[in-house]
Amino acid sequence: TIVFPKFNMESITWQQGPYLDRDLSKCPGWFEAPDLDCFLTSKELEDFGAIFGEIGFHQVINDRVRFVIRDEKRPAHSRSCKLDEVRWNRESKMWKVSCTFNDKGSCPLSEDRGY
């Protein structure tokens, strides 16, 4: 007997939030990277801050609060991370949000197996 899904499972989110949804098609290699910088407009930064409720960014960074960066086009592609820094970028006139992933990417056993 062969069991297979009747639909594409890329639209299912597998990790518990809160979520920061981004178009990650413009970030090749993000699924294997140890960290990620996102550039957000002021409105997007407000929305991002709202996922943490009453906790401010300073406390989110100090307490290493976990959240999930999720590909907005393929929600199954997501990774758990922590916030490292929020900084205004004068050149882009956007907020730079720096995060470090909590996992080893799409090949979590690669170090252990010597790949």
Side-chain angles (χ1 to χ4, degrees):
T1 303
I2 298 174
V3 178
F4 63 93
K6 292 184 178 183
F7 56 91
N8 182 338
M9 298 183 74
E10 286 188 343
S11 62
I12 296 173
T13 300
W14 300 98
Q15 295 190 48
Q16 185 176 2
Y19 305 106
L20 171 61
D21 291 331
R22 304 298 299 159
D23 179 2
L24 296 169
S25 64
K26 300 172 187 173
C27 302
W30 78 273
F31 217 63
E32 289 84 24
D35 50 36
L36 182 69
D37 292 335
C38 298
F39 289 88
L40 308 179
T41 65
S42 292
K43 171 67 172 114
E44 290 171 329
L45 185 67
E46 287 178 34
D47 293 342
F48 176 51
I51 72 171
F52 301 110
E54 297 298 317
I55 302 172
F57 287 129
H58 182 73
Q59 186 175 351
V60 168
I61 292 168
N62 283 342
D63 293 351
R64 303 172 57 97
V65 175
R66 181 198 156 282
F67 67 98
V68 174
I69 293 182
R70 183 170 63 172
D71 189 328
E72 66 187 15
K73 294 182 180 181
R74 298 171 12 183
H77 293 220
S78 60
R79 291 180 69 191
S80 171
C81 60
K82 68 175 185 66
L83 182 63
D84 294 321
E85 181 180 44
V86 176
R87 178 184 298 232
W88 177 251
N89 184 286
R90 290 181 194 218
E91 292 175 25
S92 66
K93 296 188 174 159
M94 297 181 83
W95 292 96
K96 179 181 175 184
V97 174
S98 300
C99 308
T100 300
F101 292 112
N102 296 329
D103 59 29
K104 294 180 183 177
S106 61
C107 301
L109 301 178
S110 61
E111 272 186 33
D112 300 332
R113 295 185 181 196
Y115 297 138

